């Protein structure tokens, strides 16, 4: 199970960061540096959250129900705290765009959804 999680993390993490850098460079070329920084910062934390989920998952599956509950709760608190960092930074710093940061936080989910849609589209063609 560990190998499948690592493969998925690497695949979607790499795709996410490549897309974030491409989008960020596009925004910089268009003169929107705050948007570029927001997308990239949000994407970094999106990947960190995705990796944290993959690392915590094996800890939740094995132990007793009571221990699994506390690990799950701690993991949720940690991950939400992790996702709050770029949002707070985007609110406090003028050089970051809040909406772009929020979009960057969903970048891994966008990549997963896009991957599944592409597979479905090309499989039916």
């Amino acid at each position: 199970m560990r190998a499948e999680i690592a493969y998925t993390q690497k695949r979607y993490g790499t795709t996410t960061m490549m897309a974030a850098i491409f989008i960020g460079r596009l925004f910089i070329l268009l003169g929107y540096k705050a948007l570029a920084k927001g997308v990239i910062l949000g994407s970094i934390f999106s990947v960190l959250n995705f990796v944290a989920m993959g690392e915590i998952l094996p800890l939740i599956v094995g132990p007793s129900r009571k221990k699994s509950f506390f690990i799950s709760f701690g993991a949720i608190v940690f991950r939400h705290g992790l996702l709050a960092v770029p949002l707070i930074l985007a609110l406090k710093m003028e050089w970051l765009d809040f909406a772009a940061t929020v979009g960057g936080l969903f970048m891994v989910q966008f990549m997963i959804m896009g991957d599944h849609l592409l597979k479905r589209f090309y499989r039916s063609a």
Side-chain angles (χ1 to χ4, degrees):
M1 183 166 123
R2 187 73 97 175
E4 292 90 5
I5 292 173
Y7 172 76
T8 304
Q9 287 174 336
K10 182 175 169 96
R11 180 176 175 194
Y12 290 121
T14 303
T15 306
T16 298
M17 290 314 301
M18 286 173 39
I21 291 169
F22 176 77
I23 293 168
R25 292 186 80 191
L26 183 67
F27 280 143
I28 288 172
L29 290 173
L30 295 173
Y32 299 108
K33 288 185 181 181
L35 290 173
K37 292 174 186 178
V39 168
I40 292 172
L41 180 70
S43 297
I44 290 170
F45 278 86
S46 180
V47 170
L48 288 174
N49 180 48
F50 189 62
V51 169
M53 278 194 305
E55 295 300 317
I56 294 169
L57 183 64
L59 300 175
I60 295 170
V61 173
S64 68
R65 186 173 182 179
K66 188 174 183 179
K67 188 175 180 182
S68 179
F69 169 79
F70 287 111
I71 293 171
S72 298
F73 183 74
I76 289 171
V77 170
F78 171 75
R79 289 182 33 241
H80 281 85
L82 183 70
L83 293 175
V85 171
L87 294 175
I88 293 169
L89 283 174
L91 285 173
K92 298 282 184 184
M93 306 296 175
E94 292 180 13
W95 48 269
L96 277 173
D97 185 74
F98 184 78
T101 304
V102 171
L105 286 174
F106 286 102
M107 193 69 96
V108 169
Q109 289 88 338
F110 293 149
M111 293 299 118
I112 293 171
M113 185 72 88
D115 182 50
H116 287 289
L117 288 174
L118 283 174
K119 284 180 182 177
R120 180 173 292 244
F121 176 72
Y122 284 118
R123 187 175 1 157
S124 65

